[in-house]
Amino acid sequence: MNKTRASGRTVGGLRTLSLQAPAVTLLLLWMVIPLGMTLWFSFQRYNLLMPGMTGFAGLENYQYLFSDPALWAAMGNTLQLVGWVLAITVVGGTLLAVLFQQEFAGRGIARVLAISPFFVMPTVSALVWKNMMMHPSNGVLSWVAETFGFQAVDWFSSLPLTSIVIIVAWQWLPFALLILLTAMQSLDEDQVEAARMDGAGPVAIFFFITLPHLKRAISVVIMIEMIFLLTIFAEIFVTTSGGPGLATTNLAYLIYIRALLDFDVGTASAGGVIAIILANIVAIFLVRMVAKNLED
């Protein structure tokens, strides 16, 4: 009897593996082939403008990148962009989640309107902010500034990186709100009511009950957002094209410049490898952070 059951489980397991094998194989090929080609090109002299210069380059592409001030400027801009957007979305998302958890007239409509910017495509969002909100002559922000007697600001010239941070944060704030508001639904109202009866005010309830309850959800928001924020491209391409100078050039946009503007595939591939290593370091750190919060 036991042998029959074991045999049945074995046959069932083999059938399951046979059904999963094509999808798993396709996924591995989808990942391994581009990664392998990127690694191979990163060690080659391959510039489309100089087809005669080919061959194995060793570490020349990496040496060139690490000696290029543009790489360090791009990495600095990337860290600033990720850090500021995370700070704005996590803090703003937490406060908005607490606000939208309260009962008020039109709460359902307000929730839908607050979450809707997340579903706008990045290119469309960037165009709206560039031409309708931050335009130095006809933008809404310029009209507001002039209404109150202030001088209009040319955002993309005088505050380029801040402009990108505002646009990206506007896109990702609804995502943080959605996750944190969902987590708020499981908050024990009896615990909150008991705290109120003991004399706790709104601030004490927020810091000692609400915030600890949202700790895991905040960790998830940080992990997911950081992975995507490392690859921000469309907002920069549409609004500033990495400028003025290198003021808004992040690592993803620098790779684009090297590959599709300078046609230097070898250097661009080396930059891609650096980006992959950086993303994996961040991912390992975030996974450990989330796992630690889940164990608490």
Side-chain angles (χ1 to χ4, degrees):
M1 185 67 177
N2 291 335
K3 290 182 178 181
T4 303
R5 289 180 181 176
S7 176
R9 286 197 296 269
T10 303
V11 173
L14 290 175
R15 289 177 179 173
T16 303
L17 288 175
S18 65
L19 293 173
Q20 294 176 348
V24 174
T25 302
L26 180 61
L27 181 61
L28 287 175
L29 292 175
W30 188 272
M31 296 169 56
V32 171
I33 292 177
L35 178 60
M37 292 183 66
T38 301
L39 284 171
W40 187 79
F41 280 121
S42 71
F43 293 106
Q44 301 294 316
R45 296 185 186 90
Y46 189 34
N47 192 313
L48 298 178
L49 297 178
M50 296 179 286
M53 293 181 59
T54 59
F56 184 70
L59 297 176
E60 287 181 9
N61 293 324
Y62 293 94
Q63 291 174 352
Y64 171 76
L65 266 182
F66 282 113
S67 62
D68 186 4
L71 174 66
W72 303 107
M75 293 188 72
N77 291 336
T78 301
L79 294 176
Q80 288 188 65
L81 177 61
V82 172
W84 280 110
V85 172
L86 280 177
I88 294 171
T89 55
V90 170
V91 174
T94 302
L95 296 178
L96 287 175
V98 174
L99 173 64
F100 284 119
Q101 182 67 8
Q102 310 303 315
E103 292 286 347
F104 58 88
R107 184 177 67 169
I109 298 175
R111 285 179 174 179
V112 173
L113 292 176
I115 294 171
S116 58
F118 182 65
F119 301 101
V120 179
M121 290 183 294
T123 305
V124 176
S125 172
L127 286 172
V128 168
W129 277 93
K130 180 181 181 180
N131 298 316
M132 297 181 63
M133 299 297 295
M134 293 180 170
H135 194 280
S137 300
N138 304 317
V140 173
L141 297 181
S142 297
W143 175 79
V144 171
E146 292 172 355
T147 301
F148 287 96
F150 297 101
Q151 186 177 0
V153 177
D154 189 351
W155 288 87
F156 296 108
S157 295
S158 57
L159 299 169
L161 190 59
T162 302
S163 304
I164 301 298
V165 168
I166 292 173
I167 295 171
V168 177
W170 180 81
Q171 288 180 271
W172 283 95
L173 181 59
F175 171 78
L177 170 61
L178 181 62
I179 300 298
L180 296 173
L181 186 58
T182 303
M184 285 287 294
Q185 307 302 313
S186 61
L187 181 62
D188 189 357
E189 291 296 333
D190 293 336
Q191 185 181 8
V192 176
E193 189 62 31
R196 288 199 186 103
M197 293 179 64
D198 289 338
V203 176
I205 291 174
F206 174 76
F207 280 104
F208 294 102
I209 296 178
T210 305
L211 205 56
H213 175 76
L214 294 177
K215 183 172 65 173
R216 294 181 180 180
I218 290 174
S219 299
V220 172
V221 169
I222 293 174
M223 180 179 70
I224 295 175
E225 283 194 16
M226 186 171 287
I227 293 172
F228 283 95
L229 293 176
L230 288 171
T231 60
I232 290 295
F233 175 80
E235 294 85 348
I236 297 173
F237 179 79
V238 171
T239 55
T240 63
S241 297
L246 296 171
T248 56
T249 299
N250 65 347
L251 193 54
Y253 198 82
L254 180 65
I255 294 171
Y256 160 77
I257 292 174
R258 293 290 179 264
L260 298 180
L261 298 184
D262 297 341
F263 299 99
D264 191 348
V265 178
T267 304
S269 299
V273 173
I274 295 172
I276 291 170
I277 294 173
L278 178 62
N280 277 274
I281 292 173
V282 171
I284 292 171
F285 169 75
L286 292 175
V287 167
R288 288 184 177 181
M289 181 183 69
V290 172
K292 182 180 179 180
N293 285 332
L294 292 177
E295 290 174 358
D296 293 341

